[in-house]
Amino acid sequence: MPIEFTTLVDEVMRRWPATIRIFLDHKMHCVGCPIACFHTIDDACREHGADRGQVLADLRTVAARQ
């Protein structure tokens, strides 16, 4: 399963735990957030004002290593 903008944040962190560092590096406080199981990558980027393209690229890079 590739990571897309529509993938849920919680699903990404559970399937590829190393991606947690990416969320933290982008100042996204998704780890432990009760909304992470409802928010998509796109939702989280919008909420935190993060560059959605860069976040997605970073997540894919880390997930590919696992």
Side-chain angles (χ1 to χ4, degrees):
M1 170 190 101
I3 300 174
E4 303 293 342
F5 288 118
T6 56
T7 308
L8 295 174
V9 170
D10 187 63
E11 185 177 352
V12 172
M13 290 189 290
R14 286 182 189 276
R15 184 158 183 185
W16 300 283
T19 61
I20 291 170
R21 171 53 44 201
I22 300 303
F23 290 103
L24 296 173
D25 288 348
H26 284 278
K27 309 294 188 245
M28 300 169 76
H29 306 288
C30 301
V31 181
C33 177
I35 299 174
C37 58
F38 302 106
H39 266 185
T40 63
I41 300 299
D42 196 46
D43 293 333
C45 288
R46 186 176 54 254
E47 289 294 319
H48 294 285
D51 180 321
R52 62 192 291 267
Q54 187 62 57
V55 170
L56 185 63
D58 292 348
L59 290 171
R60 287 176 172 171
T61 297
V62 169
R65 292 185 201 144
Q66 289 189 322

Coordinates of all heavy atoms in Angstrom, one line a residue:
M1 N 0.8 -1.2 0.0 CA 0.0 0.0 0.0 C 0.9 1.2 0.0 O 1.7 1.4 0.9 CB -0.9 0.0 1.2 CG -1.6 1.3 1.5 SD -2.4 1.4 3.1 CE -1.3 2.4 3.9
P2 N 0.8 2.1 -1.0 CA 1.5 3.3 -1.0 C 0.9 4.4 -0.1 O -0.3 4.3 0.1 CB 1.5 3.8 -2.5 CG 0.2 3.2 -3.0 CD 0.0 1.9 -2.2
I3 N 1.7 5.3 0.4 CA 1.1 6.4 1.2 C 0.6 7.4 0.3 O 1.4 7.9 -0.6 CB 2.2 6.9 2.2 CG1 2.7 5.8 3.1 CG2 1.6 8.1 3.0 CD1 3.9 6.3 4.0
E4 N -0.6 7.8 0.4 CA -1.2 8.9 -0.4 C -1.7 10.0 0.5 O -1.7 9.8 1.8 CB -2.4 8.3 -1.2 CG -2.1 7.1 -2.0 CD -1.2 7.5 -3.2 OE1 -1.1 8.7 -3.6 OE2 -0.6 6.6 -3.8
F5 N -2.2 11.1 -0.1 CA -2.7 12.2 0.7 C -4.0 11.8 1.5 O -4.3 12.3 2.5 CB -3.0 13.4 -0.1 CG -1.8 14.1 -0.7 CD1 -1.6 14.2 -2.0 CD2 -1.0 14.8 0.2 CE1 -0.5 14.9 -2.5 CE2 0.1 15.4 -0.2 CZ 0.4 15.5 -1.6
T6 N -4.6 10.7 1.0 CA -5.9 10.3 1.6 C -5.7 9.2 2.6 O -6.6 8.7 3.3 CB -6.8 9.7 0.5 OG1 -6.1 8.7 -0.2 CG2 -7.3 10.8 -0.4
T7 N -4.4 8.8 2.9 CA -4.1 7.7 3.9 C -4.2 8.3 5.2 O -3.8 9.5 5.5 CB -2.7 7.2 3.7 OG1 -2.5 6.8 2.3 CG2 -2.4 6.0 4.6
L8 N -4.8 7.6 6.2 CA -5.0 8.1 7.5 C -3.6 8.1 8.3 O -2.8 7.2 8.1 CB -5.9 7.1 8.3 CG -7.4 7.1 7.8 CD1 -8.2 6.1 8.5 CD2 -8.0 8.5 7.9
V9 N -3.5 9.2 9.0 CA -2.2 9.4 9.8 C -1.9 8.2 10.7 O -0.8 7.7 10.7 CB -2.3 10.7 10.6 CG1 -1.1 10.8 11.6 CG2 -2.4 11.9 9.7
D10 N -2.9 7.8 11.4 CA -2.7 6.6 12.4 C -2.3 5.4 11.6 O -1.4 4.6 12.1 CB -4.0 6.4 13.1 CG -3.9 5.4 14.2 OD1 -3.1 5.6 15.2 OD2 -4.5 4.3 14.2
E11 N -2.9 5.1 10.5 CA -2.5 4.0 9.7 C -1.0 4.0 9.2 O -0.3 3.0 9.3 CB -3.4 3.9 8.4 CG -3.2 2.7 7.6 CD -4.2 2.6 6.4 OE1 -5.1 3.5 6.4 OE2 -4.0 1.8 5.6
V12 N -0.6 5.2 8.9 CA 0.8 5.4 8.5 C 1.8 5.1 9.6 O 2.7 4.3 9.5 CB 1.1 6.8 7.9 CG1 2.6 7.0 7.7 CG2 0.3 7.0 6.6
M13 N 1.5 5.7 10.8 CA 2.3 5.5 11.9 C 2.4 4.1 12.4 O 3.4 3.6 12.9 CB 1.9 6.5 13.1 CG 2.2 7.9 12.7 SD 2.0 9.1 14.1 CE 0.2 9.0 14.3
R14 N 1.2 3.4 12.4 CA 1.2 2.0 12.8 C 1.9 1.0 11.8 O 2.6 0.1 12.3 CB -0.3 1.5 13.0 CG -0.9 2.1 14.2 CD -2.4 1.6 14.3 NE -3.1 2.3 15.3 CZ -3.0 1.9 16.6 NH1 -2.2 0.9 17.0 NH2 -3.7 2.6 17.5
R15 N 1.7 1.3 10.6 CA 2.3 0.4 9.6 C 3.8 0.6 9.4 O 4.6 -0.3 9.2 CB 1.6 0.5 8.2 CG 2.2 -0.4 7.2 CD 1.2 -0.7 6.1 NE 1.7 -1.6 5.2 CZ 1.2 -2.0 4.1 NH1 0.0 -1.5 3.7 NH2 1.7 -2.9 3.3
W16 N 4.2 1.9 9.5 CA 5.6 2.3 9.3 C 6.1 3.2 10.5 O 6.1 4.4 10.4 CB 5.9 3.0 8.0 CG 5.5 2.3 6.8 CD1 6.2 1.3 6.2 CD2 4.3 2.4 6.0 NE1 5.6 0.8 5.1 CE2 4.4 1.5 4.9 CE3 3.2 3.3 6.1 CZ2 3.4 1.4 4.0 CZ3 2.2 3.2 5.1 CH2 2.3 2.2 4.1
P17 N 6.4 2.6 11.7 CA 6.7 3.3 12.9 C 7.8 4.4 12.7 O 7.7 5.4 13.4 CB 7.1 2.3 13.9 CG 6.5 1.0 13.4 CD 6.4 1.1 11.9
A18 N 8.7 4.2 11.8 CA 9.8 5.1 11.6 C 9.2 6.5 11.0 O 9.9 7.5 11.1 CB 10.8 4.6 10.7
T19 N 8.0 6.5 10.5 CA 7.5 7.7 10.0 C 7.1 8.7 11.1 O 6.9 9.9 10.8 CB 6.2 7.4 9.1 OG1 5.2 6.8 9.9 CG2 6.6 6.6 7.9
I20 N 7.0 8.2 12.3 CA 6.7 9.1 13.4 C 7.7 10.3 13.5 O 7.3 11.4 13.7 CB 6.6 8.3 14.7 CG1 5.4 7.4 14.7 CG2 6.6 9.2 15.9 CD1 5.4 6.4 15.9
R21 N 8.9 10.0 13.2 CA 10.0 11.0 13.2 C 9.6 12.1 12.2 O 9.9 13.3 12.4 CB 11.3 10.4 12.9 CG 12.5 11.3 12.7 CD 12.7 12.4 13.8 NE 12.6 12.0 15.1 CZ 12.4 12.8 16.1 NH1 12.3 14.1 16.0 NH2 12.4 12.4 17.4
I22 N 9.1 11.7 11.0 CA 8.7 12.7 10.0 C 7.7 13.7 10.5 O 7.8 14.9 10.3 CB 8.3 12.0 8.7 CG1 9.3 11.1 8.2 CG2 7.8 13.0 7.7 CD1 10.7 11.7 7.9
F23 N 6.6 13.1 11.1 CA 5.6 14.0 11.7 C 6.2 15.0 12.7 O 5.9 16.2 12.7 CB 4.5 13.2 12.3 CG 3.6 12.4 11.3 CD1 3.8 11.1 11.2 CD2 2.7 13.1 10.6 CE1 3.1 10.4 10.2 CE2 1.9 12.4 9.7 CZ 2.1 11.1 9.5
L24 N 7.1 14.5 13.6 CA 7.7 15.4 14.6 C 8.6 16.4 13.9 O 8.6 17.6 14.3 CB 8.5 14.5 15.6 CG 7.6 13.6 16.4 CD1 8.5 12.7 17.3 CD2 6.7 14.3 17.3
D25 N 9.4 16.0 12.9 CA 10.3 16.9 12.2 C 9.5 18.0 11.5 O 10.1 19.1 11.4 CB 11.1 16.2 11.2 CG 12.2 15.3 11.8 OD1 12.5 15.4 13.0 OD2 12.8 14.5 11.1
H26 N 8.3 17.8 11.1 CA 7.5 18.8 10.4 C 6.6 19.5 11.4 O 5.7 20.2 11.0 CB 6.7 18.2 9.3 CG 7.4 17.8 8.1 ND1 7.8 18.7 7.1 CD2 8.0 16.7 7.7 CE1 8.5 18.2 6.2 NE2 8.6 16.9 6.5
K27 N 6.9 19.4 12.7 CA 6.2 20.1 13.8 C 4.7 19.7 13.8 O 3.8 20.5 14.1 CB 6.3 21.6 13.7 CG 7.7 22.1 13.6 CD 8.5 21.8 14.8 CE 9.9 22.5 14.8 NZ 11.0 21.6 14.7
M28 N 4.4 18.5 13.5 CA 3.1 18.0 13.5 C 2.9 17.1 14.7 O 3.7 16.1 14.9 CB 2.8 17.2 12.2 CG 2.9 18.0 10.9 SD 2.9 17.1 9.4 CE 1.2 16.7 9.3
H29 N 2.0 17.4 15.6 CA 1.8 16.7 16.8 C 0.8 15.6 16.7 O -0.2 15.5 17.5 CB 1.4 17.8 17.9 CG 2.4 18.9 18.0 ND1 3.6 18.8 18.5 CD2 2.3 20.2 17.6 CE1 4.3 19.9 18.4 NE2 3.5 20.8 17.8
C30 N 0.9 14.8 15.7 CA 0.0 13.7 15.4 C 0.2 12.5 16.3 O -0.8 11.7 16.6 CB 0.1 13.3 14.0 SG -0.2 14.6 12.8
V31 N 1.4 12.3 16.9 CA 1.6 11.2 17.7 C 0.8 11.3 19.0 O 0.9 12.2 19.7 CB 3.2 11.1 18.0 CG1 3.5 9.9 18.9 CG2 4.0 11.1 16.8
G32 N 0.0 10.3 19.2 CA -0.9 10.2 20.4 C -2.1 11.1 20.3 O -2.9 11.1 21.2
C33 N -2.3 11.7 19.2 CA -3.5 12.6 19.0 C -4.7 11.7 18.8 O -4.7 10.8 17.9 CB -3.3 13.5 17.8 SG -4.7 14.6 17.5
P34 N -5.8 11.9 19.5 CA -7.0 11.1 19.3 C -7.7 11.3 17.9 O -8.5 10.4 17.5 CB -7.9 11.5 20.4 CG -7.5 12.9 20.8 CD -6.0 12.9 20.5
I35 N -7.3 12.3 17.2 CA -7.9 12.6 15.9 C -7.1 11.9 14.8 O -7.6 11.8 13.6 CB -8.0 14.1 15.6 CG1 -8.9 14.7 16.7 CG2 -8.6 14.4 14.3 CD1 -9.0 16.2 16.7
A36 N -5.9 11.4 15.1 CA -5.0 10.8 14.1 C -5.7 9.6 13.3 O -5.4 9.4 12.2 CB -3.7 10.3 14.7
C37 N -6.6 9.0 14.0 CA -7.3 7.8 13.4 C -8.4 8.3 12.4 O -9.0 7.5 11.6 CB -7.9 6.8 14.4 SG -9.0 7.6 15.5
F38 N -8.7 9.6 12.4 CA -9.7 10.2 11.5 C -9.1 11.1 10.4 O -9.7 11.3 9.4 CB -10.7 11.0 12.3 CG -11.4 10.2 13.3 CD1 -11.1 10.4 14.6 CD2 -12.4 9.2 13.0 CE1 -11.8 9.6 15.6 CE2 -13.0 8.5 13.9 CZ -12.7 8.7 15.3
H39 N -7.9 11.7 10.7 CA -7.3 12.6 9.8 C -6.4 11.9 8.7 O -5.7 11.0 9.0 CB -6.3 13.5 10.6 CG -7.0 14.8 11.0 ND1 -6.3 15.8 11.6 CD2 -8.2 15.3 10.9 CE1 -7.1 16.8 11.9 NE2 -8.3 16.5 11.4
T40 N -6.6 12.4 7.5 CA -5.7 12.0 6.4 C -4.4 12.8 6.5 O -4.3 13.8 7.2 CB -6.4 12.2 5.1 OG1 -6.6 13.6 4.9 CG2 -7.7 11.5 5.0
I41 N -3.4 12.3 5.7 CA -2.2 13.1 5.6 C -2.5 14.5 5.2 O -2.0 15.5 5.7 CB -1.2 12.4 4.6 CG1 -0.9 11.0 5.0 CG2 0.0 13.3 4.4 CD1 -0.2 10.9 6.4
D42 N -3.4 14.7 4.2 CA -3.8 16.0 3.7 C -4.4 16.8 4.9 O -4.1 18.0 5.0 CB -4.7 15.9 2.6 CG -4.9 17.2 1.8 OD1 -3.8 17.8 1.5 OD2 -6.0 17.5 1.4
D43 N -5.3 16.3 5.6 CA -5.9 17.0 6.7 C -4.9 17.5 7.7 O -4.9 18.6 8.2 CB -6.9 16.1 7.5 CG -8.1 15.6 6.7 OD1 -8.6 16.3 5.8 OD2 -8.7 14.5 7.1
A44 N -4.0 16.6 8.1 CA -3.0 16.9 9.1 C -2.0 18.0 8.6 O -1.7 19.0 9.4 CB -2.1 15.7 9.5
C45 N -1.7 18.0 7.3 CA -0.8 19.0 6.8 C -1.5 20.4 6.8 O -0.9 21.4 7.1 CB -0.4 18.7 5.3 SG 0.8 17.3 5.2
R46 N -2.8 20.4 6.4 CA -3.6 21.6 6.4 C -3.7 22.2 7.8 O -3.5 23.3 8.1 CB -5.0 21.3 5.8 CG -5.8 22.6 5.6 CD -7.1 22.3 4.9 NE -7.9 21.3 5.6 CZ -8.1 20.1 5.1 NH1 -7.5 19.7 4.0 NH2 -8.9 19.2 5.8
E47 N -4.0 21.3 8.8 CA -4.1 21.7 10.2 C -2.9 22.3 10.8 O -2.9 23.2 11.6 CB -4.6 20.6 11.1 CG -6.0 20.1 10.8 CD -7.0 21.2 11.3 OE1 -6.9 21.8 12.3 OE2 -8.0 21.3 10.5
H48 N -1.7 21.8 10.4 CA -0.5 22.2 10.9 C 0.3 23.2 10.0 O 1.4 23.6 10.4 CB 0.4 21.0 11.2 CG -0.1 20.1 12.3 ND1 -0.1 20.5 13.7 CD2 -0.8 18.9 12.3 CE1 -0.6 19.5 14.4 NE2 -1.1 18.6 13.6
G49 N -0.3 23.5 8.9 CA 0.4 24.4 8.0 C 1.7 23.9 7.4 O 2.6 24.6 7.0
A50 N 1.7 22.5 7.2 CA 2.9 21.9 6.7 C 2.8 21.8 5.2 O 1.8 21.7 4.6 CB 3.1 20.5 7.3
D51 N 4.0 21.7 4.5 CA 4.1 21.6 3.1 C 3.7 20.1 2.8 O 4.4 19.2 3.0 CB 5.5 21.8 2.6 CG 5.7 21.7 1.2 OD1 5.1 20.8 0.5 OD2 6.5 22.5 0.6
R52 N 2.5 20.0 2.2 CA 1.9 18.6 2.0 C 2.8 17.8 1.0 O 2.9 16.6 1.2 CB 0.5 18.7 1.5 CG 0.3 19.4 0.2 CD -1.2 19.8 0.0 NE -2.0 18.6 -0.3 CZ -2.3 18.2 -1.5 NH1 -1.8 18.7 -2.6 NH2 -3.1 17.1 -1.7
G53 N 3.3 18.4 0.0 CA 4.2 17.6 -0.9 C 5.5 17.1 -0.3 O 5.9 16.0 -0.5
Q54 N 6.1 18.0 0.6 CA 7.3 17.6 1.2 C 7.0 16.5 2.3 O 7.8 15.5 2.4 CB 8.0 18.8 1.9 CG 9.3 18.5 2.5 CD 10.3 18.0 1.4 OE1 10.5 18.7 0.4 NE2 10.9 16.8 1.5
V55 N 6.0 16.7 3.0 CA 5.6 15.7 4.1 C 5.3 14.3 3.4 O 5.9 13.3 3.8 CB 4.4 16.1 4.9 CG1 3.9 15.0 5.8 CG2 4.7 17.3 5.7
L56 N 4.6 14.3 2.3 CA 4.3 13.1 1.6 C 5.6 12.4 1.1 O 5.8 11.2 1.2 CB 3.3 13.3 0.5 CG 2.8 12.0 -0.2 CD1 2.0 11.1 0.7 CD2 1.9 12.4 -1.4
A57 N 6.4 13.2 0.5 CA 7.7 12.7 0.0 C 8.5 12.1 1.1 O 9.1 11.0 0.9 CB 8.4 13.8 -0.8
D58 N 8.6 12.8 2.2 CA 9.4 12.3 3.3 C 8.8 11.0 3.9 O 9.6 10.1 4.2 CB 9.5 13.4 4.4 CG 10.3 14.6 4.0 OD1 11.0 14.6 3.0 OD2 10.2 15.6 4.8
L59 N 7.5 11.0 4.0 CA 6.9 9.7 4.6 C 7.1 8.6 3.6 O 7.5 7.5 4.1 CB 5.4 10.0 4.7 CG 4.9 10.9 5.8 CD1 3.4 11.2 5.7 CD2 5.3 10.4 7.2
R60 N 7.0 8.8 2.3 CA 7.3 7.7 1.4 C 8.7 7.2 1.4 O 9.0 6.0 1.3 CB 6.9 8.2 0.0 CG 5.4 8.3 -0.3 CD 5.1 8.8 -1.6 NE 3.7 8.7 -1.9 CZ 3.1 9.3 -3.0 NH1 3.9 10.0 -3.8 NH2 1.8 9.2 -3.2
T61 N 9.6 8.1 1.6 CA 11.1 7.8 1.6 C 11.3 6.9 2.8 O 12.0 5.8 2.7 CB 11.9 9.0 1.7 OG1 11.7 9.8 0.5 CG2 13.4 8.7 1.8
V62 N 10.8 7.3 4.0 CA 11.1 6.5 5.2 C 10.3 5.2 5.1 O 10.9 4.1 5.5 CB 10.6 7.3 6.4 CG1 10.6 6.4 7.7 CG2 11.6 8.5 6.7
A63 N 9.1 5.2 4.6 CA 8.4 3.9 4.6 C 9.0 2.9 3.6 O 9.0 1.7 3.9 CB 6.9 4.2 4.1
A64 N 9.6 3.4 2.6 CA 10.3 2.5 1.6 C 11.5 1.8 2.2 O 11.9 0.7 1.7 CB 10.8 3.3 0.4
R65 N 12.1 2.4 3.2 CA 13.3 1.8 3.9 C 12.9 0.7 4.9 O 13.7 -0.1 5.3 CB 14.0 2.8 4.7 CG 14.7 3.8 3.8 CD 15.5 4.8 4.7 NE 15.8 6.0 4.0 CZ 15.8 7.2 4.6 NH1 15.6 7.3 5.9 NH2 16.0 8.3 3.9
Q66 N 11.6 0.6 5.3 CA 11.2 -0.4 6.3 C 10.7 -1.7 5.6 O 10.1 -1.8 4.6 CB 10.1 0.2 7.1 CG 10.6 1.2 8.1 CD 9.5 1.6 9.1 OE1 8.3 1.7 8.8 NE2 10.0 1.8 10.3

